[in-house]
Amino acid sequence: FLTMSRLAGGVIHRYIRSGEIVKTVAVIVAGGTGKRMGHDSAKQYLMLGAIPIIVHTLRAFEKASLVHDIVLVVPAHDIDYVKISVVELYGISKVKHIISGGAKRQDSVKNGLEAVSNDCSVVVIHDGVRPFVSAELINTSVMKAIEAGAVTVGVPVKDTVKSVTGDGIVKETLDRQELWLTQTPQTFTREIIQQAYRRAYEDNFYGTDEASLVERMNVKIIMMNGSYENIKITTPEDLALGEFILKKRGVIS
């Protein structure tokens, strides 16, 4: 028996598990285009080791034992293609809904959250073009979210970071010990993330990630170690690095 209560913006969020399976749904957002890649095809469908990038991502969630269902968010005109040429062709059994995205990433995640059923307790949100996430990392983020309510993954910055004015003048050197590069998955109890989105739209606020919306409610978010290989593929250089990672892992020669 486990009870977690959290005060967030004056609202008590209570999560209770009592001898039941904790249902977890992953919302995977794959609504990008191929503009920065220089391709006509959207980046999530580009081949990485002879398999579409999005398939690598979906397979990680397929292997994650603590994830039960997947809501896949794609451009509206791609829904039929994704159903046949991605989900069915590669046998991704956990995908329960394929829905259309919105104008911005935050809108796409909002659409995905609206497809999450009320019997879900934990929501994992992930970028469709982060194909090197591991099932272990996904499962760990779910367990930490059950305990703490809100979790993001990331890695410490390696380089010196400076704050710079708009006209290119260095203002100060920031404390590298306190700086992390944030990745996905970002994992929350359903009540916390749904309320964060409601408040964001009430206030016409657009954040850079899900955690930024939750931060506005003064909810403590746990940062857990991700992986430097958990890259987001958005440019041709990222695609080349992805091929290198596959070779390093022995997936391709």
Side-chain angles (χ1 to χ4, degrees), residues 81-154:
Y81 168 80
V82 169
K83 180 178 184 295
I84 296 169
S85 299
V86 174
V87 174
E88 293 180 358
L89 180 62
Y90 290 93
I92 310 299
S93 64
K94 289 184 181 180
V95 174
K96 305 304 180 185
H97 302 282
I98 306 173
I99 63 173
S100 61
K104 298 181 180 179
R105 182 185 183 281
Q106 182 170 310
D107 301 317
S108 295
V109 174
K110 177 178 179 289
N111 291 353
L113 288 173
E114 290 174 351
V116 173
S117 58
N118 289 335
D119 62 344
C120 165
S121 297
V122 177
V123 178
V124 185
I125 301 170
H126 188 68
D127 299 320
V129 289
R130 286 190 189 270
F132 297 110
V133 65
S134 68
E136 292 77 16
L137 182 62
I138 297 165
N139 284 338
T140 301
S141 76
V142 171
M143 291 303 298
K144 286 187 178 292
I146 290 173
E147 297 171 0
V151 174
T152 186
V153 304

Side-chain angles (χ1 to χ4, degrees), residues 190-202:
R190 179 175 57 83
E191 292 85 357
I192 286 177
I193 192 60
Q194 286 185 337
Q195 184 177 18
Y197 265 79
R198 283 196 298 270
R199 290 195 179 187
Y201 280 89
E202 287 171 0

Side-chain angles (χ1 to χ4, degrees), residues 37 39 46-49 53 131-132 231-248 252:
M37 281 289 189
H39 285 266
L46 296 179
M47 292 297 178
L48 179 63
I53 291 171
F132 297 110
I231 62 171
K232 185 177 182 180
I233 297 181
T234 57
T235 67
E237 292 78 14
D238 297 329
L239 194 60
L241 178 56
E243 295 282 347
F244 172 78
I245 293 171
L246 288 180
K247 290 179 181 178
K248 177 184 172 184
I252 61 175

Side-chain angles (χ1 to χ4, degrees), residues 8 12 14 24 50 55-56 61 67 225:
I12 295 292
R14 185 172 298 273
T24 298
V55 173
H56 289 279
F61 282 83
V67 173
N225 275 299

